[in-house]
Short mmCIF file of all heavy atoms in Angstrom, two decimals:
data_model
loop_
_atom_site.label_atom_id
_atom_site.label_comp_id
_atom_site.label_asym_id
_atom_site.label_seq_id
_atom_site.Cartn_x
_atom_site.Cartn_y
_atom_site.Cartn_z
N ILE A 108 -4.97 -14.29 -6.02
CA ILE A 108 -4.59 -12.91 -5.74
C ILE A 108 -4.22 -12.74 -4.26
O ILE A 108 -3.19 -12.14 -3.92
CB ILE A 108 -5.74 -11.96 -6.12
CG1 ILE A 108 -5.85 -11.87 -7.65
CG2 ILE A 108 -5.52 -10.56 -5.53
CD1 ILE A 108 -7.06 -11.13 -8.14
N LYS A 109 -5.02 -13.30 -3.39
CA LYS A 109 -4.75 -13.15 -1.95
C LYS A 109 -3.43 -13.81 -1.57
O LYS A 109 -2.66 -13.27 -0.74
CB LYS A 109 -5.90 -13.73 -1.15
CG LYS A 109 -7.17 -12.87 -1.22
CD LYS A 109 -8.30 -13.46 -0.41
CE LYS A 109 -9.52 -12.55 -0.45
NZ LYS A 109 -10.67 -13.13 0.31
N HIS A 110 -3.11 -14.94 -2.16
CA HIS A 110 -1.86 -15.61 -1.80
C HIS A 110 -0.65 -14.95 -2.46
O HIS A 110 0.48 -15.11 -1.98
CB HIS A 110 -1.92 -17.09 -2.14
CG HIS A 110 -2.58 -17.90 -1.06
ND1 HIS A 110 -3.96 -17.99 -0.95
CD2 HIS A 110 -2.07 -18.59 -0.02
CE1 HIS A 110 -4.25 -18.73 0.11
NE2 HIS A 110 -3.13 -19.11 0.69
N THR A 111 -0.86 -14.18 -3.52
CA THR A 111 0.22 -13.37 -4.05
C THR A 111 0.54 -12.24 -3.06
O THR A 111 1.71 -11.92 -2.82
CB THR A 111 -0.13 -12.81 -5.43
OG1 THR A 111 -0.49 -13.89 -6.29
CG2 THR A 111 1.06 -12.08 -6.04
N TYR A 112 -0.50 -11.64 -2.47
CA TYR A 112 -0.26 -10.67 -1.40
C TYR A 112 0.44 -11.33 -0.22
O TYR A 112 1.32 -10.73 0.41
CB TYR A 112 -1.58 -10.05 -0.93
CG TYR A 112 -2.06 -8.90 -1.79
CD1 TYR A 112 -3.20 -9.03 -2.56
CD2 TYR A 112 -1.39 -7.69 -1.81
CE1 TYR A 112 -3.66 -7.99 -3.36
CE2 TYR A 112 -1.84 -6.64 -2.59
CZ TYR A 112 -2.98 -6.80 -3.37
OH TYR A 112 -3.41 -5.76 -4.15
N ARG A 113 0.08 -12.56 0.08
CA ARG A 113 0.73 -13.27 1.18
C ARG A 113 2.23 -13.39 0.94
O ARG A 113 3.04 -13.26 1.88
CB ARG A 113 0.10 -14.65 1.37
CG ARG A 113 0.65 -15.40 2.59
CD ARG A 113 0.11 -16.82 2.70
NE ARG A 113 0.64 -17.48 3.86
CZ ARG A 113 1.87 -18.03 3.91
NH1 ARG A 113 2.65 -17.99 2.84
NH2 ARG A 113 2.30 -18.62 5.01
N ASP A 114 2.63 -13.64 -0.31
CA ASP A 114 4.06 -13.69 -0.63
C ASP A 114 4.73 -12.34 -0.33
O ASP A 114 5.85 -12.29 0.17
CB ASP A 114 4.26 -14.04 -2.11
CG ASP A 114 4.08 -15.52 -2.39
OD1 ASP A 114 3.89 -16.29 -1.42
OD2 ASP A 114 4.13 -15.90 -3.57
N PHE A 115 4.03 -11.27 -0.66
CA PHE A 115 4.55 -9.94 -0.35
C PHE A 115 4.71 -9.75 1.16
O PHE A 115 5.75 -9.29 1.64
CB PHE A 115 3.62 -8.87 -0.93
CG PHE A 115 3.82 -7.49 -0.37
CD1 PHE A 115 5.02 -6.82 -0.56
CD2 PHE A 115 2.81 -6.87 0.35
CE1 PHE A 115 5.21 -5.53 -0.05
CE2 PHE A 115 2.99 -5.59 0.87
CZ PHE A 115 4.19 -4.92 0.66
N TYR A 116 3.69 -10.13 1.92
CA TYR A 116 3.76 -10.01 3.38
C TYR A 116 4.92 -10.83 3.94
O TYR A 116 5.61 -10.40 4.87
CB TYR A 116 2.45 -10.46 4.03
CG TYR A 116 1.22 -9.69 3.61
CD1 TYR A 116 -0.02 -10.31 3.57
CD2 TYR A 116 1.29 -8.35 3.26
CE1 TYR A 116 -1.16 -9.62 3.19
CE2 TYR A 116 0.15 -7.64 2.87
CZ TYR A 116 -1.07 -8.29 2.84
OH TYR A 116 -2.20 -7.61 2.45
N SER A 117 5.13 -12.01 3.38
CA SER A 117 6.21 -12.87 3.85
C SER A 117 7.57 -12.21 3.65
O SER A 117 8.43 -12.22 4.55
CB SER A 117 6.16 -14.21 3.11
OG SER A 117 7.21 -15.05 3.52
N LYS A 118 7.77 -11.62 2.47
CA LYS A 118 9.05 -10.95 2.20
C LYS A 118 9.21 -9.71 3.07
O LYS A 118 10.32 -9.41 3.55
CB LYS A 118 9.13 -10.58 0.71
CG LYS A 118 9.31 -11.78 -0.21
CD LYS A 118 9.31 -11.37 -1.67
CE LYS A 118 9.73 -12.53 -2.57
NZ LYS A 118 8.84 -13.70 -2.45
N LEU A 119 8.13 -8.98 3.30
CA LEU A 119 8.19 -7.80 4.15
C LEU A 119 8.47 -8.21 5.60
O LEU A 119 9.23 -7.53 6.31
CB LEU A 119 6.87 -7.04 4.05
CG LEU A 119 6.83 -5.62 4.61
CD1 LEU A 119 7.84 -4.74 3.89
CD2 LEU A 119 5.42 -5.05 4.48
N ASN A 120 7.90 -9.30 6.04
CA ASN A 120 8.14 -9.82 7.38
C ASN A 120 9.61 -10.17 7.57
O ASN A 120 10.21 -9.90 8.62
CB ASN A 120 7.27 -11.04 7.62
CG ASN A 120 7.34 -11.54 9.05
OD1 ASN A 120 6.85 -10.90 9.98
ND2 ASN A 120 7.97 -12.70 9.24
N THR A 121 10.22 -10.77 6.55
CA THR A 121 11.65 -11.09 6.61
C THR A 121 12.49 -9.83 6.73
O THR A 121 13.47 -9.80 7.49
CB THR A 121 12.07 -11.88 5.35
OG1 THR A 121 11.32 -13.11 5.30
CG2 THR A 121 13.55 -12.19 5.36
N CYS A 122 12.11 -8.79 5.99
CA CYS A 122 12.82 -7.51 6.07
C CYS A 122 12.73 -6.94 7.49
O CYS A 122 13.73 -6.49 8.06
CB CYS A 122 12.23 -6.53 5.06
SG CYS A 122 12.93 -4.87 5.10
N ALA A 123 11.54 -6.96 8.07
CA ALA A 123 11.35 -6.43 9.42
C ALA A 123 12.15 -7.23 10.44
O ALA A 123 12.73 -6.67 11.38
CB ALA A 123 9.86 -6.45 9.78
N GLU A 124 12.20 -8.54 10.26
CA GLU A 124 12.97 -9.40 11.17
C GLU A 124 14.47 -9.12 11.03
O GLU A 124 15.19 -9.03 12.03
CB GLU A 124 12.68 -10.87 10.87
CG GLU A 124 13.39 -11.83 11.80
CD GLU A 124 13.06 -13.28 11.53
OE1 GLU A 124 12.54 -13.57 10.43
OE2 GLU A 124 13.31 -14.11 12.40
N THR A 125 14.94 -8.96 9.79
CA THR A 125 16.36 -8.71 9.55
C THR A 125 16.84 -7.44 10.22
O THR A 125 17.90 -7.40 10.87
CB THR A 125 16.63 -8.63 8.04
OG1 THR A 125 16.28 -9.87 7.43
CG2 THR A 125 18.10 -8.32 7.76
N TRP A 126 16.03 -6.37 10.07
CA TRP A 126 16.46 -5.07 10.58
C TRP A 126 15.85 -4.74 11.94
O TRP A 126 16.10 -3.66 12.48
CB TRP A 126 16.09 -3.98 9.57
CG TRP A 126 16.78 -4.17 8.25
CD1 TRP A 126 16.22 -4.56 7.07
CD2 TRP A 126 18.17 -4.03 8.00
NE1 TRP A 126 17.17 -4.66 6.09
CE2 TRP A 126 18.39 -4.34 6.64
CE3 TRP A 126 19.27 -3.65 8.79
CZ2 TRP A 126 19.65 -4.30 6.05
CZ3 TRP A 126 20.53 -3.61 8.20
CH2 TRP A 126 20.71 -3.92 6.85
N GLN A 127 15.07 -5.68 12.49
CA GLN A 127 14.46 -5.49 13.81
C GLN A 127 13.73 -4.16 13.91
O GLN A 127 13.98 -3.34 14.81
CB GLN A 127 15.52 -5.61 14.90
CG GLN A 127 16.06 -7.03 15.10
CD GLN A 127 14.96 -8.00 15.53
OE1 GLN A 127 14.38 -7.86 16.62
NE2 GLN A 127 14.66 -8.98 14.69
N CYS A 128 12.84 -3.95 12.95
CA CYS A 128 12.08 -2.70 12.93
C CYS A 128 10.59 -3.00 12.98
O CYS A 128 10.15 -4.13 12.73
CB CYS A 128 12.41 -1.89 11.67
SG CYS A 128 12.17 -2.79 10.12
N LYS A 129 9.82 -1.98 13.31
CA LYS A 129 8.37 -2.10 13.38
C LYS A 129 7.78 -1.67 12.05
O LYS A 129 7.96 -0.53 11.63
CB LYS A 129 7.80 -1.24 14.50
CG LYS A 129 8.27 -1.62 15.90
CD LYS A 129 7.71 -0.66 16.94
CE LYS A 129 8.21 -0.99 18.34
NZ LYS A 129 7.70 -0.01 19.34
N ILE A 130 7.07 -2.58 11.39
CA ILE A 130 6.43 -2.26 10.12
C ILE A 130 4.92 -2.34 10.29
O ILE A 130 4.38 -3.36 10.70
CB ILE A 130 6.89 -3.19 8.99
CG1 ILE A 130 8.37 -2.95 8.68
CG2 ILE A 130 6.05 -2.97 7.73
CD1 ILE A 130 8.91 -3.76 7.52
N SER A 131 4.26 -1.24 9.99
CA SER A 131 2.80 -1.17 10.05
C SER A 131 2.25 -1.09 8.64
O SER A 131 2.64 -0.22 7.86
CB SER A 131 2.35 0.06 10.85
OG SER A 131 2.68 -0.06 12.21
N LEU A 132 1.34 -2.02 8.31
CA LEU A 132 0.71 -2.04 7.00
C LEU A 132 -0.57 -1.23 7.00
O LEU A 132 -1.37 -1.30 7.95
CB LEU A 132 0.40 -3.47 6.60
CG LEU A 132 1.57 -4.31 6.05
CD1 LEU A 132 1.22 -5.79 6.12
CD2 LEU A 132 1.89 -3.91 4.63
N ILE A 133 -0.78 -0.47 5.94
CA ILE A 133 -1.99 0.32 5.77
C ILE A 133 -2.59 -0.01 4.41
O ILE A 133 -1.89 0.07 3.39
CB ILE A 133 -1.68 1.82 5.86
CG1 ILE A 133 -1.17 2.19 7.26
CG2 ILE A 133 -2.92 2.65 5.51
CD1 ILE A 133 -0.64 3.61 7.37
N GLY A 134 -3.84 -0.41 4.39
CA GLY A 134 -4.51 -0.62 3.12
C GLY A 134 -4.67 0.70 2.40
O GLY A 134 -5.32 1.62 2.91
N GLY A 135 -4.04 0.84 1.23
CA GLY A 135 -4.09 2.09 0.49
C GLY A 135 -4.95 1.97 -0.74
O GLY A 135 -6.17 1.84 -0.66
N LEU A 136 -4.30 1.96 -1.90
CA LEU A 136 -5.04 1.76 -3.15
C LEU A 136 -5.77 0.42 -3.13
O LEU A 136 -6.84 0.27 -3.73
CB LEU A 136 -4.08 1.83 -4.34
CG LEU A 136 -4.66 1.65 -5.73
CD1 LEU A 136 -5.73 2.69 -6.03
CD2 LEU A 136 -3.55 1.70 -6.79
N THR A 137 -5.19 -0.57 -2.46
CA THR A 137 -5.87 -1.85 -2.24
C THR A 137 -5.91 -2.18 -0.76
O THR A 137 -5.05 -1.74 0.01
CB THR A 137 -5.16 -3.01 -2.99
OG1 THR A 137 -3.80 -3.11 -2.52
CG2 THR A 137 -5.18 -2.77 -4.49
N ASP A 138 -6.91 -2.94 -0.36
CA ASP A 138 -7.11 -3.29 1.04
C ASP A 138 -6.18 -4.42 1.47
O ASP A 138 -5.79 -5.27 0.65
CB ASP A 138 -8.55 -3.71 1.28
CG ASP A 138 -9.54 -2.58 1.04
OD1 ASP A 138 -9.11 -1.42 0.96
OD2 ASP A 138 -10.75 -2.87 0.93
N LEU A 139 -5.85 -4.45 2.74
CA LEU A 139 -5.06 -5.55 3.29
C LEU A 139 -5.89 -6.84 3.26
O LEU A 139 -7.10 -6.82 3.43
CB LEU A 139 -4.64 -5.25 4.72
CG LEU A 139 -3.87 -3.96 4.98
CD1 LEU A 139 -3.45 -3.90 6.45
CD2 LEU A 139 -2.66 -3.84 4.07
N VAL A 140 -5.18 -7.95 3.09
CA VAL A 140 -5.83 -9.27 3.16
C VAL A 140 -5.73 -9.72 4.62
O VAL A 140 -4.73 -10.30 5.05
CB VAL A 140 -5.17 -10.28 2.21
CG1 VAL A 140 -5.96 -11.60 2.23
CG2 VAL A 140 -5.11 -9.73 0.80
N MET A 141 -6.78 -9.42 5.38
CA MET A 141 -6.71 -9.56 6.83
C MET A 141 -6.67 -11.02 7.31
O MET A 141 -6.33 -11.27 8.46
CB MET A 141 -7.89 -8.83 7.47
CG MET A 141 -7.85 -7.32 7.28
SD MET A 141 -6.33 -6.56 7.91
CE MET A 141 -6.50 -6.89 9.67
N GLU A 142 -6.97 -11.96 6.44
CA GLU A 142 -6.92 -13.36 6.88
C GLU A 142 -5.49 -13.82 7.16
O GLU A 142 -5.28 -14.88 7.74
CB GLU A 142 -7.56 -14.27 5.84
CG GLU A 142 -6.90 -14.27 4.48
CD GLU A 142 -7.81 -14.86 3.41
OE1 GLU A 142 -8.80 -14.21 3.03
OE2 GLU A 142 -7.51 -15.98 2.96
N PHE A 143 -4.50 -13.00 6.79
CA PHE A 143 -3.10 -13.37 7.03
C PHE A 143 -2.49 -12.58 8.19
O PHE A 143 -1.29 -12.69 8.43
CB PHE A 143 -2.26 -13.14 5.77
CG PHE A 143 -2.73 -13.90 4.57
CD1 PHE A 143 -2.94 -13.26 3.36
CD2 PHE A 143 -2.99 -15.26 4.64
CE1 PHE A 143 -3.37 -13.95 2.23
CE2 PHE A 143 -3.43 -15.98 3.53
CZ PHE A 143 -3.62 -15.32 2.33
N ASP A 144 -3.30 -11.80 8.91
CA ASP A 144 -2.72 -10.85 9.86
C ASP A 144 -2.00 -11.50 11.05
O ASP A 144 -1.15 -10.86 11.67
CB ASP A 144 -3.78 -9.85 10.35
CG ASP A 144 -4.84 -10.51 11.23
OD1 ASP A 144 -5.11 -11.71 11.03
OD2 ASP A 144 -5.41 -9.82 12.09
N LEU A 145 -2.30 -12.75 11.35
CA LEU A 145 -1.66 -13.41 12.49
C LEU A 145 -0.48 -14.29 12.08
O LEU A 145 0.18 -14.87 12.94
CB LEU A 145 -2.69 -14.25 13.26
CG LEU A 145 -3.88 -13.50 13.84
CD1 LEU A 145 -4.82 -14.45 14.56
CD2 LEU A 145 -3.40 -12.39 14.79
N GLU A 146 -0.20 -14.36 10.79
CA GLU A 146 0.86 -15.25 10.31
C GLU A 146 2.25 -14.63 10.42
O GLU A 146 3.25 -15.36 10.41
CB GLU A 146 0.61 -15.64 8.85
CG GLU A 146 -0.54 -16.59 8.64
CD GLU A 146 -0.56 -17.14 7.23
OE1 GLU A 146 0.53 -17.31 6.64
OE2 GLU A 146 -1.67 -17.39 6.72
N PHE A 147 2.34 -13.31 10.50
CA PHE A 147 3.62 -12.65 10.36
C PHE A 147 3.91 -11.80 11.61
O PHE A 147 3.40 -10.69 11.74
CB PHE A 147 3.64 -11.80 9.09
CG PHE A 147 3.34 -12.60 7.85
CD1 PHE A 147 2.09 -12.52 7.23
CD2 PHE A 147 4.27 -13.48 7.33
CE1 PHE A 147 1.80 -13.27 6.11
CE2 PHE A 147 4.00 -14.24 6.22
CZ PHE A 147 2.76 -14.14 5.60
N PRO A 148 4.73 -12.34 12.51
CA PRO A 148 4.90 -11.69 13.82
C PRO A 148 5.58 -10.33 13.78
O PRO A 148 5.48 -9.56 14.75
CB PRO A 148 5.77 -12.71 14.59
CG PRO A 148 6.46 -13.51 13.53
CD PRO A 148 5.49 -13.58 12.39
N HIS A 149 6.27 -10.00 12.69
CA HIS A 149 6.98 -8.73 12.62
C HIS A 149 6.20 -7.65 11.86
O HIS A 149 6.73 -6.56 11.64
CB HIS A 149 8.35 -8.94 11.99
CG HIS A 149 9.21 -9.91 12.75
ND1 HIS A 149 9.87 -9.58 13.91
CD2 HIS A 149 9.47 -11.22 12.52
CE1 HIS A 149 10.52 -10.64 14.35
NE2 HIS A 149 10.31 -11.64 13.53
N LEU A 150 4.97 -7.99 11.49
CA LEU A 150 4.12 -7.03 10.80
C LEU A 150 2.90 -6.72 11.64
O LEU A 150 2.36 -7.58 12.32
CB LEU A 150 3.65 -7.58 9.44
CG LEU A 150 4.71 -7.97 8.41
CD1 LEU A 150 4.03 -8.45 7.13
CD2 LEU A 150 5.66 -6.83 8.13
N ASP A 151 2.47 -5.48 11.57
CA ASP A 151 1.23 -5.05 12.21
C ASP A 151 0.26 -4.63 11.11
O ASP A 151 0.51 -3.68 10.39
CB ASP A 151 1.51 -3.88 13.16
CG ASP A 151 0.25 -3.39 13.87
OD1 ASP A 151 -0.77 -4.10 13.81
OD2 ASP A 151 0.31 -2.31 14.48
N PHE A 152 -0.85 -5.37 10.97
CA PHE A 152 -1.87 -5.03 9.98
C PHE A 152 -2.71 -3.91 10.58
O PHE A 152 -3.80 -4.13 11.09
CB PHE A 152 -2.70 -6.26 9.64
CG PHE A 152 -2.01 -7.25 8.74
CD1 PHE A 152 -0.78 -7.81 9.08
CD2 PHE A 152 -2.58 -7.63 7.53
CE1 PHE A 152 -0.14 -8.71 8.24
CE2 PHE A 152 -1.95 -8.54 6.68
CZ PHE A 152 -0.73 -9.08 7.04
#
Side-chain angles (χ1 to χ4, degrees):
I108 288 172
K109 288 180 177 178
H110 276 82
T111 305
Y112 277 112
R113 185 185 180 279
D114 282 356
F115 164 64
Y116 300 149
S117 179
K118 289 177 170 60
L119 194 60
N120 186 71
T121 299
C122 177
E124 182 178 17
T125 298
W126 298 109
Q127 290 298 296
C128 55
K129 297 177 182 178
I130 294 184
S131 292
L132 281 162
I133 296 171
L136 180 59
T137 59
D138 296 345
L139 304 185
V140 185
M141 294 304 295
E142 61 197 71
F143 302 129
D144 69 330
L145 300 179
E146 288 191 33
F147 303 105
H149 300 283
L150 301 182
D151 180 12
F152 284 56

